[in-house]
Amino acid sequence: MDVVELSRFQFASTSIFHFFFVSLTVGLAFLIAVMETIAYVREDRRHVYEKMTNFFGHLFLINFAVGVVTGIVQEFQFGMNWSEYSDFVGNIFGVPLALEVLMAFFLESTFIGLWWFGKDRLKPWMRLGSIWLVAIGTQISAFWIVLANAWMHHPVGYEVVEGQARLTDFAAVVFNYKAWLYFFHVQGSAWVVAAFFVLGISAFHLLRRQDADVYSRSLRIGLVFAAIGTVFSVVSGHTAGQAAREDQPMKFAAMEAQWETSDSPAPWSLVAFIDEDAQENSFNIEIPIVGSVLAYNSLEGRYEGLIPLNEEYQELYGEGDYIPPVTWVYWSFRIMVAVGSLLLATAFLGLFLWWRRKDGIDTTRWFLRALVLFIPLPWVANFTGWIVTEMGRQPFMVYGLLTVEEGVSANTAGEVLAGLVGLWAVYLALIGLDVYLLSVTARAGIHRKPEAQLVAAPAPDYESVGHQGYERRN
């Protein structure tokens, strides 16, 4: 692999590692804020919701404490491997990154400490307000990061002066439709990650008939979140796909492995064996009309193919190959859709079982076992979705303005490889630590202490009645 390929692989892999923590933090913060609100409002069941909030809040704190450093390392890579890119976009890219730190990072860091470590000293409304500010902070953080990423896909509000993109219209960047589409999709997917995390752990304890009063309620809260999150993800993802047909047609064609412009109505490729060298599919099962429905919400409509688009791009941007890695984009898209559809069906099946069987859902063992097995699936959908998004815009780093080869630093392959090995070692160690601590804490539940704990995030004392002190401090 050359310097460009190594640099791409390093940034892609470390971004996926980082998003392992981020998606759970963003979704779980909001879900715990809702649990805390119910604990505050429901005096008759307060002791149950207190335990629930403390238990899942402890898991949230572990993930936040271990994962926060992985985001800082991401920014170092801009200077290490992508100095030409940083020089080109620094005037624009620096604004959302700075606002993310000023508006979100300090907000999250301050109030997460108040919420967790001040639970025995703060008045209940202060504790409730603290966790909501943490939840809002995570949403603000996600927005600014996604906005910066979306600008690379759809640059707006800029002019190029002396080889640098300079900001001319901040409002255009903030209200970039691509940013809001991506933000809604990321938000929905984070809710799905958090919801199935809560569902899986709740199901694990219900299967063992442990603390059913707590976990049967968290199961129901998780089901509602999972249903909302999956619908939100599907709608925003479908809209983002149709937007790509208009402003990134090469990505849309790669998602369908469509080499030549389709007929109208357009079919949808269910399974294809892709030969990128020959620029054709050696085997393809297509479903008539569905391609037009997905692309236009209509029974009519065609979309352009990769080969004619490449010719158009060559006239527009100069000689070169502008076709992205089709196999990666095509199969990642299908894995994401298949997993997302399974999670959507599971969420609504759970709501149906809740409606039909009432408390019987707590003893429906085949469904509970499935929920435990499904815990990793939302991450799979997340990772493959990002592969579609980022590999689909190749070879551009900033769409239409800067290619990946133009953005890379003047490093040697050995220098990049050394950084890659070091970052992988650090990230894998952090993920291993996070998964281990989350696993032992989740398995321990609220009836015993976990086998291992972070000193900075010790397990709560669930046996103390009114641990959050609502009664004592009201």
Side-chain angles (χ1 to χ4, degrees):
M1 296 176 76
D2 60 15
V3 172
V4 174
E5 293 300 317
L6 280 171
S7 300
R8 288 173 68 191
F9 181 70
Q10 178 175 310
F11 197 85
S13 57
T14 53
S15 296
I16 287 176
F17 290 151
H18 175 54
F19 208 71
F20 173 84
F21 300 96
V22 170
S23 54
L24 182 60
T25 298
V26 172
L28 203 53
F30 199 85
L31 209 161
I32 291 170
V34 171
M35 291 178 177
E36 179 88 44
T37 304
I38 298 173
Y40 183 82
V41 173
R42 288 289 303 271
E43 294 185 10
D44 57 328
R45 296 284 183 181
R46 181 164 291 163
H47 64 289
V48 173
Y49 289 104
E50 283 178 1
K51 290 181 179 178
M52 182 195 304
T53 304
N54 279 329
F55 174 69
F56 287 106
H58 186 214
L59 293 168
F60 167 74
L61 195 66
I62 291 170
N63 188 66
F64 187 89
V66 177
V68 68
V69 70
T70 60
I72 298 171
V73 176
Q74 287 297 94
E75 298 189 15
F76 291 160
Q77 291 187 74
F78 294 135
M80 289 165 54
N81 293 350
W82 305 103
S83 58
E84 296 300 323
Y85 159 79
S86 300
D87 181 59
F88 181 75
V89 303
N91 186 266
I92 294 174
F93 213 71
V95 177
L97 294 184
L99 288 172
E100 191 252 345
V101 173
L102 293 172
M103 294 177 65
F105 190 72
F106 290 128
L107 188 70
E108 294 171 77
S109 304
T110 301
F111 284 96
I112 197 171
L114 284 173
W115 170 68
W116 189 256
F117 297 107
K119 55 180 174 287
D120 295 324
R121 300 181 181 182
L122 294 177
K123 289 183 178 296
W125 66 268
M126 290 180 181
R127 178 178 159 98
L128 180 62
S130 295
I131 186 58
W132 272 108
L133 287 172
V134 173
I136 292 169
T138 60
Q139 316 308 310
I140 294 173
S141 175
F143 174 75
W144 288 118
I145 296 300
V146 170
L147 179 138
N149 176 269
W151 187 87
M152 295 158 62
H153 289 266
H154 184 66
V156 292
Y158 73 97
E159 62 178 356
V160 178
V161 180
E162 298 177 350
Q164 291 181 320
R166 296 186 180 176
L167 185 64
T168 60
D169 189 345
F170 182 65
V173 176
V174 171
F175 294 104
N176 185 352
Y177 71 90
K178 202 83 170 179
W180 288 94
L181 275 177
Y182 283 4
F183 174 68
F184 289 139
H185 196 51
V186 167
Q187 194 63 234
S189 63
W191 278 34
V192 176
V193 169
F196 276 87
F197 180 77
V198 170
L199 285 172
I201 294 171
S202 302
F204 175 85
H205 289 285
L206 287 173
L207 283 167
R208 286 155 181 76
R209 297 183 174 84
Q210 295 168 345
D211 301 299
D213 55 340
V214 173
Y215 293 111
S216 65
R217 285 169 176 77
S218 61
L219 184 85
R220 285 154 177 76
I221 294 173
L223 282 175
V224 173
F225 262 75
I228 296 172
T230 49
V231 170
F232 210 51
S233 293
V234 169
V235 173
S236 58
H238 176 63
T239 308
Q242 291 188 332
R245 179 185 53 77
E246 294 184 359
D247 57 26
Q248 292 180 309
M250 192 70 89
K251 178 192 292 184
F252 189 87
M255 288 159 59
E256 299 305 320
Q258 186 71 38
W259 294 98
E260 301 290 348
T261 298
S262 72
D263 296 327
S264 178
W268 181 70
S269 173
L270 180 64
V271 178
F273 297 162
I274 300 163
D275 187 340
E276 294 193 43
D277 293 331
Q279 297 190 336
E280 63 180 18
N281 301 327
S282 57
F283 176 78
N284 197 1
I285 299 177
E286 295 182 327
I287 302 175
I289 302 176
V290 176
S292 293
V293 174
L294 293 175
Y296 296 94
N297 296 332
S298 168
L299 298 179
E300 299 290 337
R302 69 180 78 239
Y303 46 88
E304 293 179 275
L306 293 158
I307 295 173
L309 279 171
N310 195 42
E311 294 170 355
E312 290 179 26
Y313 277 39
Q314 287 173 346
E315 292 181 7
L316 194 60
Y317 303 118
E319 286 299 315
D321 182 4
Y322 296 93
I323 297 177
V326 179
T327 305
W328 276 95
V329 176
Y330 177 89
W331 283 109
S332 296
F333 178 69
R334 271 143 192 81
I335 293 171
M336 176 189 70
V337 171
V339 172
S341 301
L342 176 61
L343 296 176
L344 176 75
T346 304
F348 280 89
L349 175 61
L351 292 178
F352 176 76
L353 291 172
W354 179 11
W355 172 61
R356 290 290 296 175
R357 299 190 179 185
K358 310 297 181 190
D359 291 341
I361 189 176
D362 298 337
T363 55
T364 307
R365 299 185 70 81
W366 62 268
F367 183 68
L368 298 177
R369 289 194 186 102
L371 291 179
V372 175
L373 294 174
F374 286 179
I375 289 177
L377 291 186
W379 275 286
V380 174
N382 264 305
F383 298 159
T384 50
W386 277 111
I387 290 172
V388 173
T389 302
E390 299 307 309
M391 295 192 81
R393 69 180 152 106
Q394 301 296 315
F396 287 114
M397 202 165 186
V398 180
Y399 207 78
L401 297 178
L402 185 79
T403 64
V404 173
E405 291 192 355
E406 292 169 337
V408 75
S409 298
N411 294 325
T412 65
E415 289 169 340
V416 180
L417 184 61
L420 175 63
V421 172
L423 287 174
W424 264 66
V426 172
Y427 275 81
L428 287 177
L430 287 172
I431 288 178
L433 176 65
D434 194 44
V435 170
Y436 172 69
L437 290 172
L438 290 177
S439 299
V440 297
T441 306
R443 284 201 300 267
I446 61 176
H447 61 283
R448 63 180 172 87
K449 290 285 185 183
E451 300 166 5
Q453 301 183 52
L454 280 177
V455 175
D461 180 6
Y462 300 108
E463 297 305 317
S464 299
V465 178
H467 181 69
Q468 293 170 203
Y470 283 122
E471 292 79 6
R472 176 160 47 84
R473 285 175 280 114
N474 266 331

